[in-house]
Each structure stands twice: as C-alpha cells, then as structure tokens.
Amino acid sequence: VLLEQSAALERQRRVAASQQRTTVEALPASADRAESYNPSDVLMSLPTSLRRSVLADMEESQLNSLNEDLVQDYERIRSEQRARTVYTTIPSRYYVFTCMLENLS
C-alpha cells in the first residue's frame, strides 16, 4: 500500500513539475508583464491535488513569494508529512510486544 501511495505521489509530482514548466514557459517575455507575474495566482489556479504536490516540493526559501493562505497550506502539508514519517517509523505494537516476550524468555 505504501509503495502504491509513493508511486502515486511521484506521478503527481512529475505532473506538477511538468505543468509548472509549462506555466513558466507561457509567462510573458516582456519586463512589464514579468513584473505582474504572481506565483500565488499561478498556484491557486492549479487543481488542489496538484497545488498540494507543488507546495510539498517547495523549499522554505520560496515561501516569501507566496500569499499567506498558501504559506499556511505549505505548513499544514509539511506537518502532515512529518506525522506520516513518524507514524511509519514507529514499530507496531505487536512487534514491540513480541520483542518484550522474547527478552523475558
């Protein structure tokens, strides 16, 4: 199940990266239009799952270009990722119980 989820997330990240490249390539080349480019607007125009995938891959140094709502989304996604990491690294209760029984023998 974890492998399937991991593969699905990887596919979403690839799609997000591809769409992000397409979006960047479609940006106007003139300086006047480039100044009006707003990364928050671009991210908000993406479907929710894709936006979450892009935010999950962002670095903290990129947050200063985003609006407050997207920064909050970023923080929530990172918190969820940390919680999943902790959950998957904690041994199951059965495993811990089995180890305790073996040590008593």
Side-chain angles (χ1 to χ4, degrees), residues 2 13 29 51 54-55 59 65 76-77 81 83 100:
L2 288 176
R13 286 186 182 134
R51 182 173 54 244
V54 171
L55 287 171
E59 295 181 15
S65 64
R76 186 172 30 258
I77 291 166
Q81 286 177 331
M100 290 172 54

Side-chain angles (χ1 to χ4, degrees), residues 3 16 18 24-25 29 31 66 69 77 103-104:
L3 288 174
S18 173
V24 169
E25 291 169 0
L66 301 180
D69 291 337
I77 291 166
N103 288 336
L104 291 176

Side-chain angles (χ1 to χ4, degrees), residues 38-50:
N38 183 347
S40 294
D41 292 341
V42 173
L43 283 174
M44 292 303 287
S45 69
L46 298 174
T48 304
S49 62
L50 184 56

Side-chain angles (χ1 to χ4, degrees), residues 17-98:
S18 173
Q19 285 190 347
Q20 190 173 21
R21 280 192 301 274
T22 302
T23 302
V24 169
E25 291 169 0
L27 290 175
S30 72
D32 294 336
R33 289 186 174 179
E35 289 176 6
S36 66
Y37 165 70
N38 183 347
S40 294
D41 292 341
V42 173
L43 283 174
M44 292 303 287
S45 69
L46 298 174
T48 304
S49 62
L50 184 56
R51 182 173 54 244
R52 287 180 57 86
S53 181
V54 171
L55 287 171
D57 290 339
M58 289 185 82
E59 295 181 15
E60 286 191 36
S61 62
Q62 298 170 313
L63 294 180
N64 59 357
S65 64
L66 301 180
N67 67 30
E68 187 177 321
D69 291 337
L70 287 172
V71 171
Q72 288 175 355
D73 285 347
Y74 169 87
E75 291 168 350
R76 186 172 30 258
I77 291 166
R78 288 297 171 122
S79 176
E80 291 169 2
Q81 286 177 331
R82 283 191 297 274
R84 273 195 300 272
T85 301
V86 168
Y87 178 76
T88 57
T89 58
I90 296 174
S92 70
R93 290 183 183 148
Y94 175 77
Y95 175 76
V96 172
F97 182 70
T98 305

